[in-house]
């Protein structure tokens, strides 16, 4: 797999990962690292190594391409993730999904909680589950707390698609894949989503495939 030994100290494993430069290898579903959860960041890497690791996550996320990447997805069980979404979508999609541009952000020790009871469902994919998408119902609005890469406190409310991104990436840090929360009957190949379910909302897919929406 090209990932360091789990027996090595975390900082040593990260140093080994970064030796080659360029995008890191993204771990696919089935690897236990995606299911074990993570340890909170508490200075294990040191500021310089953390900065290098964050930059590697950014390079890897952009190369994939994706809108978020969590440390376990590159084999590191540390509570760190990055997000970024230029939101290059048509206006009707942007309005239906609340997808607005998000600048590059680093999430350290993030935790989210729902704000209100509203839930929304859309097709969702994952870099660690390549080739597939499924409909996931998630809270429409969440409060995210934690820190940034400089240790500054983060306490922010996210809505729309940004709320979905931070939930997806924080779930990774808890050993949860989007498939665990998905409507199983909605599971579709990327090709099927493009050819059949490219509408801004999944109502047509729900009728045809036989699953419930919130």
């Amino acid at each position: 797999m090209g990932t360091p030994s789990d027996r090595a100290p975390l900082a040593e494993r990260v140093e080994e990962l970064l030796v080659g430069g360029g995008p890191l290898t993204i771990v696919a579903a089935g690897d236990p690292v995606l299911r074990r959860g993570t340890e909170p960041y508490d200075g294990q890497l040191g500021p310089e190594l953390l900065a290098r690791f964050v930059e590697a996550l950014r390079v890897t996320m952009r190369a994939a391409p994706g809108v978020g990447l969590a440390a376990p997805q590159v084999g590191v069980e540390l509570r760190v993730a990055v997000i970024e979404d230029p939101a290059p979508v048509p206006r009707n999609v942007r309005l239906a999904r609340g997808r607005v541009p998000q600048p590059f952000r680093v999430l350290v020790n993030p935790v989210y909680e729902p704000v209100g009871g509203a839930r929304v469902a859309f097709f969702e994919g994952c870099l660690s589950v390549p080739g597939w998408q499924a409909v996931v119902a998630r809270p429409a609005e969440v409060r995210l707390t934690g820190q940034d890469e400089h240790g500054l406190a983060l306490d922010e409310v996210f809505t729309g698609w940004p709320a979905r991104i931070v939930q997806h990436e924080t779930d990774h840090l808890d050993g949860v894949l989007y498939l665990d929360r998905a409507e199983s009957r909605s599971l579709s190949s990327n090709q099927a989503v493009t050819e059949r379910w490219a509408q801004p909302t999944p109502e047509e897919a729900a009728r045809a495939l036989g699953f419930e929406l919130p």
Side-chain angles (χ1 to χ4, degrees):
M1 295 190 321
T3 56
S5 168
D6 288 344
R7 294 186 296 274
L10 192 143
E12 181 180 327
R13 289 161 51 201
V14 172
E15 286 279 13
E16 186 179 339
L17 271 179
L18 301 180
V19 165
L24 304 176
T25 299
I26 295 177
V27 173
D31 191 308
V33 72
L34 293 172
R35 294 306 198 174
R36 286 195 290 255
T38 53
E39 60 180 83
Y41 176 74
D42 188 25
Q44 297 94 324
L45 304 187
E48 189 271 340
L49 183 55
L50 177 63
R52 289 169 54 209
F53 181 55
V54 163
E55 179 58 22
L57 290 175
R58 172 169 24 195
V59 168
T60 305
M61 174 182 64
R62 289 177 173 177
V67 296
L69 190 67
Q73 292 182 273
V74 296
V76 177
E77 295 155 292
L78 193 62
R79 202 168 184 83
V80 175
V82 297
I83 64 172
E84 182 181 47
D85 185 13
V89 295
R91 183 174 183 273
N92 64 328
V93 174
R94 175 172 58 83
L95 293 175
R97 300 179 185 175
R99 187 169 177 182
V100 294
Q102 283 293 298
F104 179 76
R105 302 277 297 274
V106 182
L107 311 179
V108 177
N109 300 329
V111 176
Y112 71 82
E113 60 183 20
V115 176
R119 294 173 65 81
V120 289
F122 293 104
F123 273 101
E124 194 169 315
C126 179
L127 297 177
S128 291
V129 190
W132 298 91
Q133 297 181 47
V135 172
V136 184
R138 293 188 182 272
E141 188 172 14
V142 295
R143 178 186 179 191
L144 189 79
T145 56
Q147 300 87 43
D148 68 10
E149 69 272 37
H150 306 296
L152 298 177
L154 170 66
D155 187 342
E156 187 172 340
V157 173
F158 289 83
T159 61
W161 205 257
R164 181 166 297 266
I165 294 172
V166 298
Q167 289 175 77
H168 181 115
E169 299 308 326
T170 303
D171 280 355
H172 271 303
L173 305 178
D174 294 324
V176 175
L177 295 179
Y178 85 96
L179 292 174
D180 301 331
R181 304 189 185 279
E183 294 289 342
S184 59
R185 293 180 68 95
S186 72
L187 184 65
S188 304
S189 68
N190 285 348
Q191 181 178 351
V193 172
T194 298
E195 293 178 354
R196 295 175 178 271
W197 316 129
Q199 303 86 6
T201 63
E203 276 80 4
E204 186 174 335
R207 287 192 295 271
L209 299 178
F211 61 90
E212 297 291 329
L213 294 174

